[in-house]
Amino acid sequence: LDHYAVDLYEDSGRNSSGGKLGYDLSILENQSIIARQGNVRELSFHEIRNGITSPIVSPTNGTPTLIVSDDSGYETILRSLSLTGITSQELIPVKGPQNINALTKNQLAQFNMLILYRFKGEGWKEIQRFIERGGKIYIELDAGNKSFSTTPDFFPVTSIETTEINGQWSPQIIKKTDLTENIKTENFAPFVYEGGPWRLSISPKEDIRPWAEPVLAHGDSVVFSQGTFGKGTIILSGFNLPYHIIANQNFDEVKLFKNSISSLMGNQNIEKPTFEIQRSIPEKITVTGKNMKGVYFKENYHSGWMATVYPEGNRRMNGKQVPIYKAGLDFMYVPLLKAINNKSQQIVLSFNGSLTSWLFFGLSSFSLLLAMLYLIIPHPFHALHKHTQHHIKHKVVNKVNTWWQKEEE
């Protein structure tokens, strides 16, 4: 509901058993979500309560989270997040690169949290600086990640190796924390991949760093750990939790994932920004406000959109062009500089079209112009055609004659 900015939902045609595809009746009959319901002829409408969903253009203080993964991993993280009930008003999932080597200091400065899953690369320097300055990191190791004989300094463990399990497995809770609250690991779904074994990334208990603490264990090894490094926090998971959640829809696994992400977000009261939005034409949106970490734009991502920020809302000052990231369900997110979050700002979103679109437009216009000229004054085209045809024919005949003479010799 929230990701699609739903305010009024039409649900006609659902039969008495609830067999029609759509939102579950547990949502549509929940009075804390639905303000009122009514029928107009054969149509059935449900009005969503204020505050449950955010608008299409949403200045937000939700935690901007960069997901470092491939496309498949990004989709898996999104689907796992959707099961937790964490909305876009609380967390903004942003599509990042798959390779950690591509991350830069300026890029990381725009985000409060990183989720690493199905990632590549070995350049950990910028990520270590990110956590030292207070960043939050969730790292999920999957079957494609190799073993680490030595790990980066900010990992909770000094080494990582892989092992396999097959069937029912209940991780042992080493220490009860906020991460394991209300979780029964014996209810976890069997760990099987396409009928074969499931791979875990584990560490010996003695390899836990002094500042970290183990959370879940596999025998004498740690499979889930957390710790505080510098001013930041890290959670390291070694059993490919998001994929297992999606494959099995297991409630206790979802709670573990939600507890982990929520703990990194912190128990902060998210203050709603004050803002004003103007959109007199579809191609231009002006957002004026303060106390906002970014603007979440719930329209399909397109490279033709540009974002310009004017400090203190003064259009006479030189604006700064800022990046637009692909976020959520292929929507757009504009992060704002943390240093000016509490000051009035004006963000102008303008659609100018992509370079590819303008190139095709130029080619189409040129072709149309030539066609019109041919209809109006065809003689120059006929002359050009005859001249070109004669020139080509002359060159071909000369080459054939030359080849023929060489053959006779």
Side-chain angles (χ1 to χ4, degrees), residues 274-291:
T274 56
F275 60 89
E276 178 183 338
I277 297 174
Q278 295 178 336
R279 191 176 190 179
S280 55
I281 57 174
E283 296 84 5
K284 186 176 182 180
I285 305 169
T286 302
V287 181
T288 306
K290 62 180 181 179
N291 187 35

Side-chain angles (χ1 to χ4, degrees), residues 95-278:
K95 179 71 171 72
Q98 182 186 13
N99 197 315
I100 62 174
N101 299 337
L103 298 172
T104 65
K105 177 182 177 180
N106 291 337
Q107 183 183 34
L108 292 176
Q110 305 288 346
F111 299 93
N112 297 122
M113 189 192 307
L114 293 180
I115 295 178
L116 276 65
Y117 178 56
R118 292 173 61 95
F119 58 90
K120 293 182 178 180
E122 298 178 352
W124 297 101
K125 182 175 68 173
E126 292 300 335
I127 296 179
Q128 179 160 329
R129 290 176 179 174
F130 172 80
I131 190 173
E132 288 175 339
R133 293 192 297 264
K136 315 295 184 181
I137 303 177
Y138 180 92
I139 299 180
E140 185 70 54
L141 300 177
D142 70 296
N145 292 114
K146 63 181 182 180
S147 300
F148 292 81
S149 56
T150 58
T151 61
D153 292 341
F154 63 91
F155 272 44
V157 294
T158 59
S159 69
I160 298 172
E161 58 189 52
T162 60
T163 188
E164 293 182 344
I165 58 175
N166 197 339
Q168 193 64 44
W169 171 61
S170 300
Q172 300 94 43
I173 297 177
I174 301 175
K175 182 177 180 180
K176 289 188 177 181
T177 67
D178 292 341
L179 304 187
T180 59
E181 185 177 358
N182 299 322
I183 291 175
K184 296 180 179 179
T185 59
E186 62 268 23
N187 292 337
F188 281 13
F191 283 79
V192 177
Y193 179 70
E194 296 182 351
W198 189 274
R199 181 174 294 181
L200 298 178
S201 297
I202 58 175
S203 305
K205 288 182 180 179
E206 57 269 22
D207 282 359
I208 288 286
R209 286 193 162 98
W211 48 265
E213 59 182 7
V215 179
L216 298 177
H218 170 63
D220 293 329
S221 300
V222 177
V223 72
F224 204 92
S225 54
Q226 67 173 348
T228 299
F229 184 86
K231 297 180 180 179
T233 306
I234 181 172
I235 294 176
L236 177 65
S237 169
F239 57 91
N240 199 357
L241 181 59
Y243 184 87
H244 202 255
I245 286 174
I246 299 307
N248 297 279
Q249 305 286 302
N250 184 276
F251 184 59
D252 282 278
E253 295 174 23
V254 171
K255 284 195 292 185
L256 175 60
F257 187 63
K258 179 178 181 178
N259 290 349
S260 300
I261 299 301
S262 297
S263 71
L264 294 175
M265 292 168 55
N267 296 321
Q268 54 186 0
N269 293 322
I270 299 176
E271 185 179 350
K272 291 186 177 181
T274 56
F275 60 89
E276 178 183 338
I277 297 174
Q278 295 178 336

Side-chain angles (χ1 to χ4, degrees), residues 8-43:
L8 193 66
Y9 177 65
E10 191 276 313
D11 189 51
S12 61
R14 182 184 293 273
N15 58 41
S16 58
S17 63
K20 175 180 176 288
L21 291 177
Y23 289 107
D24 192 86
L25 290 176
S26 62
I27 295 176
L28 299 179
E29 295 176 355
N30 189 333
Q31 294 184 2
S32 64
I33 299 176
I34 305 300
R36 56 177 177 163
Q37 185 270 337
N39 297 298
V40 179
R41 297 178 182 173
E42 71 278 4
L43 303 180

